[in-house]
Amino acid sequence: MSNLKIVNKWKIWFAIPAVIMIAGIIMLFVPGMNVGIEFTGGTIMTVTLGELADGANYNASVAKITDIIEKNGGEVSYFQKSSAEETSKSAIDFRFRVKGDSTDIVNQIKNDVAAEFGGDAADTSFITSETIGESASRDLLKNAILGAAIAIALIMIYVIIRFEFWSGVTAVLALIHDVFIMIALTVIFQIQVNSSFVAAVITIIAYSINNTIVIFDRIRERIKPIDDKSRIDYAEVADEAINNTLTRTLFTSATTLITVIFLAILGVPSMREFTLPIIFGLVAGTYSSIFLSTPAWALINKAISDRKGNYNRVKGKTKFKKQR
């Protein structure tokens, strides 16, 4: 069993995610979050070009297609290299918005692109598109936020019932930290935020609480026999619980992480939009269970205990003076 002193160095552990979040906030404004059309509304068009989407041809193809979109009144917000799932040939994804009747404009854009690269405006078989309206995107975003909020609230209620109030509070704060770190790293690495990202967030909320619960369960076993809670050294109890469960926590997270990493490496681009945030969330969840939620629990309970002790001492002195 290791003998790490985690709680005493809480300032360092709290500072590391704070730096990541600050970097994410900066990147949120420059260059901004790569939000998918599911949440913004618009059209995503995939043009399968094979060799024309590779190497030196990529920039030239992007410039031509962007020019066609803009000439038809569209505004390109994002583009990236991808691969057509049906053929695995190199392709380029464009996300853009248009005014007016989007269906006619998108069809015109596809015809112009087909004429430019295929020579036949009627043959748009190598171009696929999907358009989502603003109202649908707003409903999806609202439901995603509502789902995440309900999941966090239910987890907090469960932890409070099983353990105690401050365990629930610190566990939920750790979950919120995990989500914020996922968002920050997603912004930093410019990964698209879409329905896959929402699924990744919900998955991490459900998964990362496991390590925290195991540590809190060990804490409960340690302090339950103690009648006089004022004699508890909360930092020592927290460090002991972390050290007792450290091997289990690291092995559990590592086995899951290895599997997800292979999916990210071997999977198609659309799968990476789910697996990469999952990787961020797994690392953040493991970190928060060990270095954030448990030290926060110890610090809060120590502060409450010290405050009660000071209150009792002052109260005792007051009674003594009255008796004299």
Side-chain angles (χ1 to χ4, degrees), residues 25-290:
I25 291 172
I26 294 173
M27 291 293 290
L28 190 61
F29 295 97
V30 183
M33 181 180 286
N34 176 19
V35 183
I37 61 169
E38 292 99 326
F39 297 141
T40 61
T43 300
I44 184 167
M45 183 176 70
T46 301
V47 186
T48 305
L49 296 174
E51 295 180 355
L52 293 177
D54 293 327
N57 296 322
Y58 172 75
N59 290 332
S61 298
V62 167
K64 290 179 181 178
I65 297 173
T66 301
D67 185 58
I68 291 172
I69 294 172
E70 292 177 347
K71 284 182 177 179
N72 284 278
E75 181 181 353
V76 178
S77 58
Y78 182 77
F79 59 84
Q80 68 174 2
K81 184 178 178 180
S82 63
S83 62
E85 296 183 3
E86 299 83 0
T87 62
S88 297
K89 291 183 179 179
S90 296
I92 307 174
D93 294 334
F94 290 86
R95 190 174 71 237
F96 59 90
R97 301 182 69 179
V98 297
K99 297 179 180 179
D101 190 342
S102 60
T103 302
D104 290 343
I105 296 175
V106 170
N107 288 336
Q108 184 60 49
I109 291 172
K110 292 168 69 173
N111 291 336
D112 291 348
V113 171
E116 175 69 30
F117 290 93
D120 184 1
D123 182 14
T124 60
S125 58
F126 62 98
I127 307 170
T128 60
S129 65
E130 178 185 8
T131 301
I132 297 179
E134 292 185 9
S135 59
S137 63
R138 284 195 299 268
D139 290 341
L140 182 60
L141 179 59
K142 181 178 67 176
N143 292 334
I145 295 174
L146 180 62
I150 291 174
I152 291 175
L154 291 176
I155 287 173
M156 182 174 181
I157 294 171
Y158 166 75
V159 176
I160 289 175
I161 293 173
R162 180 169 178 180
F163 302 102
E164 45 89 28
F165 177 77
W166 290 113
S167 296
V169 171
T170 54
V172 167
L173 289 176
L175 289 179
I176 295 173
H177 155 272
D178 299 344
V179 173
F180 281 175
I181 290 296
M182 288 178 69
I183 295 173
L185 292 175
T186 299
V187 172
I188 291 172
F189 290 100
Q190 285 294 287
I191 299 169
Q192 188 174 120
V193 177
N194 51 25
S195 55
S196 296
F197 177 79
V198 174
V201 169
I202 300 296
T203 302
I204 290 301
I205 288 174
Y207 181 88
S208 65
I209 192 65
N210 289 331
N211 291 330
T212 304
I213 287 177
V214 170
I215 297 175
F216 281 160
D217 194 50
R218 191 59 57 90
I219 289 174
R220 182 181 61 177
E221 293 175 358
R222 176 72 169 76
I223 66 176
K224 189 175 181 179
I226 302 175
D227 295 327
D228 186 3
K229 303 303 181 184
S230 64
R231 296 189 296 106
I232 298 175
D233 186 338
Y234 290 100
E236 181 182 345
V237 170
D239 285 337
E240 182 181 327
I242 292 171
N243 284 290
N244 287 340
T245 58
L246 185 61
T247 301
R248 181 264 181 201
T249 299
L250 294 179
F251 281 3
T252 301
S253 299
T255 51
T256 307
L257 189 60
I258 291 171
T259 304
V260 179
I261 288 174
F262 274 106
L263 287 174
I265 295 173
L266 302 176
V268 297
S270 59
M271 182 177 290
R272 294 191 191 101
E273 294 174 356
F274 174 75
T275 53
L276 288 177
I278 286 286
I279 292 172
F280 299 153
L282 286 173
V283 174
T286 304
Y287 183 91
S288 65
S289 297
I290 299 172

Side-chain angles (χ1 to χ4, degrees), residues 305-319:
S305 179
D306 291 345
R307 186 174 180 179
K308 287 182 178 179
N310 293 333
Y311 174 77
N312 290 334
R313 283 193 293 271
V314 171
K315 187 177 180 181
K317 290 179 180 179
T318 303
K319 286 183 177 180

